[in-house]
Amino acid sequence: MENTFTSGLISLQEALNKMLSQTSPLTQAKTEWLPLTESAGRITASAVRSPVYVPPFDNSAMDGYAIRSAEYREDAVFTVAGKAFAGAPFNGEWPAGSCIRIMTGAPVPSGADAVIMQEEAEKTDAGVRFTVPVEKGQNIRLIGDDIRQGQEVLAAGVRLGVAELPLLASLGVEKVEVNRRLKVAVFSTGDELQPVGTPLEEGQIYDTNRFAVHLMLDQLGCEVLDLGIIRDDPAALRQAFQQADNYADLVISSGGVSVGEADYTKSMLDEIGQIGFWKLAIKPGKPFAFGKLNNAWFCGLPGNPVSAVLTFYQLVQPLIARLSSHTDWRLPPRLRARAASNFKKTPGRLDFQRAVFVHNAQGELEARTTGSQGSHVFSSYSLANGFVVLERERGDVAVGEWVDVEPFNALLKG
Ligand code: AMP
Ligand code: MG
């Protein structure tokens, strides 16, 4: 139900749906083949199939003795006819009634169909006797029982990282086909902003947003054009938007999308693009702009740094996944935790409060606020490991109540 708190606001999900329904993948049209060492962070353009069987040969799962299982008798003594080590197979002849000493990972000698672990072997002067009945196939890891040759091991649209690249290395894959990187232009707007390294004059502040956005774009594997700080001046803004639009698939600015007097971004965009200016029903981060310039997509983040990062995280991150054909992208699943501190909340918007969660002595997940939740208070990000997500209609939360928590992904806590 819309009420006085929510009229004119659009929900996060509605905003995301609008963004995703208008856009489609851009980067899979141009692909390249890269060696594994250069493909970290890139998105697979095609499925990767295994060129080999894993394991590549039948091998022993135990240190012990390989035999022909049909020759097993409870009282039989086997002479030891040779040895097979990992990396040093046994290829000789082995007479009937003999066994081969074998180590874990060693190829099973031709003809052998069972390995008996050494704990079940009894050494005698004449050879070894096996104390436990033997079954055909025991303790042998068969060729291809993990991965078959030609089997798909990674789908298209997967981001290559520590869970994927070592797998490809284990298969001897040398090169992988990846999509081109998404090109993103970024700038900050505001007469008050200064870059790090410049002393601040009265009324000035350092530019946090461009730094944060650039960093997140790097982590997402984008190719970034950083256009710096753009003054609140129509001509400068027009030029920045045109340059950004010429270069990029996606343009991201921050500031100037609310309704302040110096917010030229809004009027400029009305001139050069088809942009929606939204009031999101989330906190922090109310003003947000999305739409299309001549060539590129555009996201206008709020000026306050915490809002800028949150809207980037919740909206721009999935958009970038969509545009860069990263089909298996998702945020970490939300969990339930017990409030270990009070959380202040006014009904009306979905609240993302920075919090730290840990398991308490009883093994229960507990969430504690990291302090002031002002949209300019960046320090509470650095103390947090996730968001406490409080429903729109909810009011203040007391200690002991259940809350939803959303752990940060590696973009925020890598
Ligand atoms: P605006 O939406 O441009 O009115 O900005 C809202 C608030 O965010 C103001 O207090 C700005 O000074 C601040 N702000 C805007 N851009 C940045 C930035 N890049 N870094 C830090 N603070 C900013
Ligand atoms: Mg501004």
Side-chain angles (χ1 to χ4, degrees), residues 187-194 203-211 229 232 254-263 265 287 301-308 375-376:
F187 57 89
S188 297
T189 69
D191 282 338
E192 74 282 27
L193 302 179
Q194 287 297 318
Q204 296 183 331
I205 57 170
Y206 286 118
D207 175 7
T208 317
N209 298 350
R210 192 166 46 96
F211 187 80
I229 298 163
D232 289 319
S254 72
V257 289
S258 53
V259 284
E261 278 153 42
D263 291 334
T265 318
L301 308 180
N304 278 303
V306 173
S307 313
S375 57
H376 58 294

Side-chain angles (χ1 to χ4, degrees), residues 9-10 12 279-287 306-307 310-311 314 344-354 372-375 381 387-392 396:
L9 298 180
I10 77 165
L12 182 69
K279 290 195 183 101
L280 301 174
I282 63 170
K283 197 174 172 216
K286 194 150 101 189
V306 173
S307 313
L310 179 73
T311 50
Q314 295 291 341
K344 273 181 81 68
K345 165 88 167 68
T346 319
R349 296 201 256 160
L350 183 70
D351 242 30
F352 288 88
Q353 302 213 7
R354 287 137 277 164
S372 167
Q373 298 292 323
S375 57
Y381 264 129
F387 297 112
V388 162
V389 187
L390 301 175
E391 303 83 342
R392 278 177 80 163
D396 287 338

